[in-house]
């Protein structure tokens, strides 16, 4: 496993299969995603596990992410393309999901671990990558029993994004 990436490190420019909300899928580089706007990359274990459903419903229901065009939110798990399509449809997600079936993305970010010392998984984690590919924020699940069970602090993620791209209220003249 690769060492965990820290704030200030450069994110890897890997390519993997990305499933879009409309069901299309194709190989897309992380660098292509952060080229135009910052990227929030959220690693999770797999589709349809109760904790992952809860996490993605919270991203979906926290309307700031879905309505904000200043940041791209993308998930990554070891689930396959067909499963991602069903998961996106089931939860009515507006976010694309990487099919990280070999955990190459998770390993490159240093968030691969062995559950119960048997099964490799992606540790629940969130990275904010700016348009230069620099990691500006990271959150890692810290549960001692199962780090896939922790939920990311969406308010903290939003604050970091606003610090990077500005507060929408300022953009539109609100206080």
């Amino acid at each position: 496993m690769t060492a965990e990436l820290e704030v200030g490190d450069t994110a890897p420019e890997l390519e993997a299969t990305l499933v879009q909300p409309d069901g299309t899928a194709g190989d897309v580089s992380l660098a292509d995603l952060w080229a135009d706007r910052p990227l929030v990359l959220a690693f999770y274990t797999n589709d349809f596990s109760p904790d992952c459903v809860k996490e993605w419903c919270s991203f979906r229901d926290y309307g700031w992410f879905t309505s904000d065009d200043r940041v791209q939110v993308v998930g990554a798990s070891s689930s396959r393309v067909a499963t991602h399509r069903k998961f996106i449809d089931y939860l009515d997600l507006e976010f694309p999901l990487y099919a990280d079936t070999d955990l190459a993305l998770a390993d490159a970010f240093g968030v691969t671990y062995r559950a119960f010392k048997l099964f490799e998984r992606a540790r629940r984690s969130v990275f904010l990558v700016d348009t230069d590919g620099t990691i500006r924020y990271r959150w890692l699940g810290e549960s001692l029993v199962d780090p896939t069970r922790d939920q990311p602090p969406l308010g903290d993620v939003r604050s970091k994004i606003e610090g990077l791209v500005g507060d929408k209220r300022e953009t539109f003249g609100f206080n």
Side-chain angles (χ1 to χ4, degrees), residues 118-138:
L118 297 173
F119 308 106
E120 280 195 325
R121 296 181 172 185
R123 180 178 179 184
R124 192 177 309 273
S125 51
V126 175
F127 294 86
L128 172 61
V129 182
D130 70 15
T131 55
D132 294 326
T134 303
I135 296 172
R136 297 296 177 189
Y137 171 82
R138 95 178 173 152

Side-chain angles (χ1 to χ4, degrees), residues 31 36 41-42 51 55 57 64 91 93 108 115 130 145 153 163 175:
D36 294 327
L41 179 61
D51 295 322
E55 177 182 5
C57 284
W64 190 86
L91 296 180
L93 297 179
D130 70 15
V145 176
N175 290 321

Side-chain angles (χ1 to χ4, degrees), residues 15-20 24-29 74-77 79-81 84-85 96-101 105:
E15 186 175 280
T17 303
L18 188 66
V19 180
Q20 299 292 337
T24 60
D27 289 344
V28 176
S29 166
V74 176
S77 81
S79 296
R80 291 180 166 83
V81 169
H84 276 337
R85 286 182 177 130
L97 304 174
Y98 272 114
D100 190 21
T101 56
L105 290 176

